[in-house]
């Protein structure tokens, strides 16, 4: 490959692309091992800063792409360029299951999980060398049981680019949340892997040299409590035998707060974070959107029960419900403060095609052609302004550092850790991160022809974790006018001997503040109407701009 890569395809602007909190492209890694062994594969993940270029599309005979709703515009752009090089473009993943019309530029659309129609797709690709004259859709009816799915092709990626590994355990959810597309895609009867199969994937990940965060992919981990208990006991035994090399996180529902046994098992298995859909702290709203499982106790009380077992909550909030008022944003900020949630995401309500919400909006005549695909009762401008103000409130630095201090003092000391504790454990965690950045132990990557080769350690330099931590210390501890809050947090870390949190959490806070400030400035800049219209090319007016680029696997 020449030293200078060909020009990349145009990329959509995003002020958040400097973040490296990225998970591995699990779907494509699994699909690669389903394809015939005679096929030659490459995998490109644009999220790690390697955009698809013309040389890539010239090399490929088939372009496979997986993505979500928000990545639809970029996906169609890649498919259009692939056609110019005569490559067959194929898309799958969650973004097209309920709305395959989003993939208008693709030759082939794969709808659903790996299964009977995936086999037919492979047969078609084996028998045809040129794109079809019109789009073909393969919709899976009979899926492959989760225990029989291929193992992910870990050798196709450089794990140093990622902060979280992914191992799937479960899919499906028994609840009926109005806005949720998961129950429409995977149904209300949970499916899961056996403990034996899951531990096999943990062994594969461990043998690859990975240490640190692992996302246990699930829609609702304890959707089947009996299965969840069996899995957690198996993971706890595996972790103990290997001295707890992984820190798990997963998705669950708030009713886990009523299951003391499960919370204890989560802790024993090394789960540090549970991602929970809070959506709103207001009971009327939760009842209206059919999220009754969140109304059994006050939401903040349930979160404190989870925290009492050493488990942090990564919550999600939504603005734009019919029951919202102009003060709902401020109410959510106050709730997050009272519940001491650090990891919090907030979105505007979106009527995704195929959901109950979409059908209700259609019945009420409130659909609109562009994102968020619905008209808010409060008005689009009011909800957008409330969203901006809420983001500012949630990410106010003094508030974030106070919530971080609470987690360090009251939650993290209760977490299950390896046999080594205190400073020894902190140094081990940082050492693992530094070793990963320096390329030790050796792993595999791809050369210019897509062949596996050992990773070569880069030139010795201060790892990003150290330089970023020092920069955050300068910004928050010296430059920032409210630096007393930062030093209070550092003192709390020192009392708990939590060196890792002292270095890494402030770095995340500093980066997040920069990103929020950049987004605020970008949103306030007047835009040229002609340039804005040019972005929405014919056939793409319904597609949202991409915030994260998709992952691309190519097979000749």
């Amino acid at each position: 490959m020449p030293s200078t890569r060909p020009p990349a395809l145009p990329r959509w602007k995003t002020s958040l692309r400097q973040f490296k909190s990225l998970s591995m492209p699990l779907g494509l890694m699994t699909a690669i091992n389903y394809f015939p062994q005679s096929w030659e594969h490459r995998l490109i993940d644009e999220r790690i800063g390697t955009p698809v270029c013309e040389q890539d599309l010239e090399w490929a005979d088939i372009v496979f792409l997986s993505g979500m709703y928000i990545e639809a515009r970029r996906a169609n752009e890649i498919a259009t360029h692939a056609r110019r090089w005569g490559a067959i473009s194929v898309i799958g993943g969650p973004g097209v299951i309920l709305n395959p019309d989003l993939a208008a530029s693709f030759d082939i659309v794969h709808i659903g999980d790996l299964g009977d129609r995936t086999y037919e797709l492979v047969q078609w690709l084996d028998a045809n060398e040129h794109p079809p004259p019109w789009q073909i859709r393969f919709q899976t009816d009979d899926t492959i049981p989760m225990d029989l799915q291929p193992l992910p092709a870990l050798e196709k990626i450089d794990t140093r680019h990622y902060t979280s590994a992914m191992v799937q355990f479960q899919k499906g959810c028994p609840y009926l949340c109005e806005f949720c597309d998961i129950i429409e895609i995977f149904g209300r009867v949970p499916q899961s892997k056996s403990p034996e199969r899951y531990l096999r994937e943990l062994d594969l990940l461990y043998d690859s040299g990975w240490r640190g965060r692992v996302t246990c992919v699930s829609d609702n981990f304890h959707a089947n409590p009996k299965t969840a208990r069996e899995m957690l006991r198996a993971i706890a035994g595996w972790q103990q035998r290997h001295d707890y090399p992984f820190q798990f996180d997963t998705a669950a529902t708030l009713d886990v707060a009523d299951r003391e046994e499960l919370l204890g098992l989560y802790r024993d298995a090394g789960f540090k974070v549970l991602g929970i859909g809070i959506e709103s702290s207001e009971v009327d709203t939760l009842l209206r959107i059919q999220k009754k499982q969140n109304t059994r106790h006050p939401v903040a009380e349930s979160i404190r029960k989870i925290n009492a077992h050493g488990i942090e909550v990564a919550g999600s909030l939504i603005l734009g419900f019919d029951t919202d008022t102009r003060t709902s944003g401020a109410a959510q900020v106050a709730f997050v403060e009272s519940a001491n949630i650090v990891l919090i995401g907030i979105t505007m309500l979106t009527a995704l095609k195929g959901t109950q919400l979409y059908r209700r909006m259609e019945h009420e005549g409130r659909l609109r052609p562009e994102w968020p695909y619905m008209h808010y009762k409060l008005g689009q401008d009011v909800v957008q302004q409330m969203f901006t103000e809420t983001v500012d409130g949630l990410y106010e630095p003094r508030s974030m550092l106070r919530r971080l201090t609470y987690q360090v003092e009251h939650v993290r000391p209760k977490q299950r850790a390896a046999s080594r504790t205190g400073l020894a454990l902190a140094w081990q965690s940082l050492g693992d991160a530094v070793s990963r950045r320096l390329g030790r132990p050796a792993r595999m990557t791809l050369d210019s022809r897509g062949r596996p080769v050992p990773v070569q350690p880069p030139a010795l330099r201060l790892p990003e974790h150290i330089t970023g931590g020092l920069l955050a210390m300068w910004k928050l501890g010296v430059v920032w006018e409210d630096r007393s809050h930062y030093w209070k947090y550092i003192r709390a870390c020192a009392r708990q001997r939590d060196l890792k949190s002292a270095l890494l959490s402030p770095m995340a806070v500093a980066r997040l503040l920069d990103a929020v400030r950049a987004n605020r400035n970008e949103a306030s800049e007047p835009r040229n109407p002609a340039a804005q219209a040019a972005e929405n090319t014919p056939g793409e007016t319904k597609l949202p701009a991409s915030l994260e680029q998709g992952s691309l696997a190519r097979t000749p």
Side-chain angles (χ1 to χ4, degrees):
M1 178 177 288
S3 58
T4 303
R5 290 174 62 85
L9 306 185
R11 302 186 68 183
W12 301 105
K13 287 179 60 179
T14 164
S15 58
L16 296 180
R17 64 181 172 218
Q18 69 269 26
F19 284 125
K20 292 192 175 181
S21 182
L22 298 172
S23 298
M24 298 174 182
L26 183 61
L28 284 173
M29 290 164 58
T30 303
I32 283 176
N33 276 343
Y34 180 84
F35 298 142
Q37 294 183 359
S38 59
W39 291 10
E40 185 183 353
H41 312 285
R42 293 185 190 176
L43 190 148
I44 292 179
D45 188 346
E46 286 201 333
R47 299 172 305 163
I48 62 176
T50 308
V52 178
C53 65
E54 297 290 347
Q55 184 182 12
D56 297 323
L57 299 179
E58 180 184 11
W59 175 88
D61 291 332
I62 307 171
V63 175
F64 289 93
L65 193 141
S66 177
M68 304 179 71
Y69 283 97
I70 204 168
E71 299 164 332
R73 180 178 293 178
R74 174 62 176 173
N76 280 277
E77 181 183 63
I78 292 175
T80 300
H81 282 269
R83 183 177 297 111
R84 295 173 184 171
W85 288 101
I88 301 172
S89 57
V90 185
I91 190 170
V96 296
I97 292 180
L98 292 180
N99 193 0
D101 293 338
L102 287 175
S105 301
F106 281 81
D107 299 314
I108 299 175
V109 180
H110 181 280
I111 304 171
D113 277 357
L114 295 176
D116 53 350
R117 301 307 302 279
T118 314
Y119 177 74
E120 295 179 18
L121 166 63
V122 172
Q123 285 186 315
W124 190 96
L125 293 172
D126 253 344
N128 295 270
E129 298 182 356
H130 303 288
W134 53 80
Q135 188 179 87
I136 302 175
R137 294 181 179 180
F138 294 87
Q139 183 164 357
T140 300
D141 295 316
D142 186 13
T143 61
I144 299 175
M146 295 186 71
D147 274 2
L148 300 180
Q149 290 182 359
L151 294 169
L154 282 170
E155 71 279 3
K156 295 296 181 181
I157 62 171
D158 183 350
T159 58
R160 293 175 301 167
H161 291 298
Y162 299 92
T163 58
S164 177
M166 301 182 73
V167 183
Q168 186 177 24
F169 159 58
Q170 178 269 343
K171 60 185 178 182
C173 181
Y175 294 115
L176 280 170
C177 304
E178 183 187 42
F179 57 87
C180 184
D181 61 344
I182 288 173
I183 56 177
E184 308 292 343
I185 296 174
F186 299 119
R188 297 181 59 202
V189 179
Q191 304 174 53
S192 59
K193 292 177 180 176
S194 66
E196 294 76 17
R197 166 57 192 259
Y198 194 82
L199 297 189
R200 183 183 174 192
E201 294 194 39
L202 291 187
D203 287 335
L204 179 67
L205 188 63
Y206 182 86
D207 292 341
S208 75
W210 180 266
R211 302 293 183 271
R213 179 181 168 189
V214 176
T215 297
C216 183
V217 180
S218 63
D219 297 322
N220 180 359
F221 190 98
H222 63 273
N224 184 325
K226 179 181 177 181
T227 303
R229 285 193 292 269
E230 293 175 353
M231 180 61 71
L232 288 172
R233 291 190 181 106
I235 294 175
W238 187 95
Q239 287 266 72
Q240 188 174 16
R241 291 191 298 273
H242 294 80
D243 200 20
Y244 286 80
F246 298 151
Q247 297 88 52
F248 286 97
D249 61 80
T250 193
T253 45
L254 192 60
D255 57 350
V256 72
D258 294 328
R259 301 177 181 272
E260 289 285 332
E261 181 187 9
L262 270 180
L263 287 173
L265 290 173
Y266 274 120
R267 176 186 178 275
D268 291 343
F271 280 73
K272 309 294 186 184
V273 178
L274 291 182
I276 293 178
I278 298 169
E279 323 316 354
S280 175
S281 61
E282 300 173 357
V283 176
D284 290 344
T285 297
L286 294 172
L287 292 174
R288 179 67 181 272
I289 64 176
Q290 302 183 53
K291 208 171 181 71
K292 297 179 181 179
Q293 67 271 22
N294 282 18
T295 64
R296 298 173 184 175
H297 307 284
V299 178
E301 177 184 325
S302 296
I303 291 173
R304 282 190 286 271
K305 287 183 179 180
I306 297 172
N307 289 160
H309 289 78
I311 302 171
E312 296 184 54
V313 170
S316 64
L317 296 172
I318 299 176
L319 291 179
F321 293 117
D322 288 353
T323 52
D324 280 356
T325 66
R326 291 175 180 267
T327 62
S328 292
Q332 300 314 310
V333 173
F335 155 72
V336 170
E337 281 283 306
S338 66
N340 291 297
I341 304 174
V342 176
L343 304 170
I344 190 75
I346 183 166
T347 60
M348 294 168 60
L349 184 64
T350 304
L352 299 178
K353 190 172 183 179
T355 61
Q356 299 174 72
L357 177 62
Y358 184 94
R359 293 190 287 270
R360 180 165 71 87
M361 293 297 102
E362 186 176 35
H363 177 73
E364 296 178 5
R366 293 170 57 188
L367 288 178
R368 54 182 290 179
E370 66 276 355
W371 182 87
Y373 312 121
M374 60 175 287
H375 291 281
Y376 299 115
K377 280 195 172 180
L378 280 176
Q380 310 299 127
D381 293 340
V382 173
V383 175
Q384 179 65 61
Q385 178 63 27
M386 184 166 60
F387 174 82
T388 301
E389 294 171 353
T390 304
V391 169
D392 289 344
L394 292 175
Y395 297 134
E396 197 277 325
R398 288 170 296 185
S399 171
M400 288 194 69
L401 284 168
R402 190 197 63 77
R403 287 177 272 153
L404 269 171
T405 302
Y406 176 88
Q407 298 293 325
V408 168
E409 291 181 333
H410 302 286
V411 180
R412 295 178 187 175
K414 302 173 184 176
Q415 292 177 345
R416 181 67 171 86
S419 58
R420 290 177 294 278
T421 58
L423 287 175
L425 179 61
W427 280 115
Q428 179 195 17
S429 300
L430 287 176
D432 290 341
V434 171
S435 294
R436 196 157 59 242
R437 291 298 299 173
L438 294 178
R440 298 189 299 266
R443 296 182 178 86
M444 305 303 288
T445 186
L446 299 175
D447 64 10
S448 59
R449 293 189 177 183
R451 298 172 300 192
V453 295
V455 172
Q456 297 298 323
L460 184 62
R461 58 182 172 82
L462 279 176
E464 152 178 39
H465 297 82
I466 295 178
T467 57
L470 293 175
L471 181 60
M473 182 181 294
W474 171 258
K475 283 185 175 181
L476 298 177
V478 179
V479 177
W480 187 35
E481 58 182 7
D482 292 320
R483 50 188 171 271
S484 61
H485 296 272
Y486 168 77
W487 291 111
K488 182 179 180 180
Y489 168 74
I490 293 297
R491 286 195 297 271
C493 292
R495 286 193 297 268
Q496 299 297 332
R497 297 185 177 183
D498 193 347
L499 179 61
K500 184 178 179 182
S501 294
L503 283 177
L504 302 187
S505 294
M507 179 174 63
V509 171
R511 287 183 172 179
L512 185 57
L513 295 177
D514 289 342
V516 170
R517 188 180 302 110
N519 279 324
R520 189 186 303 122
N521 294 338
E522 183 175 301
S524 64
E525 292 177 359
R527 301 192 61 191
N528 184 325
Q532 185 172 5
E535 282 191 359
N536 294 319
T537 56
E540 293 186 341
T541 55
K542 298 182 181 181
L543 303 181
S546 174
L547 295 181
E548 282 189 346
Q549 309 307 321
S551 304
L552 182 73
R554 292 88 40 75
T555 304

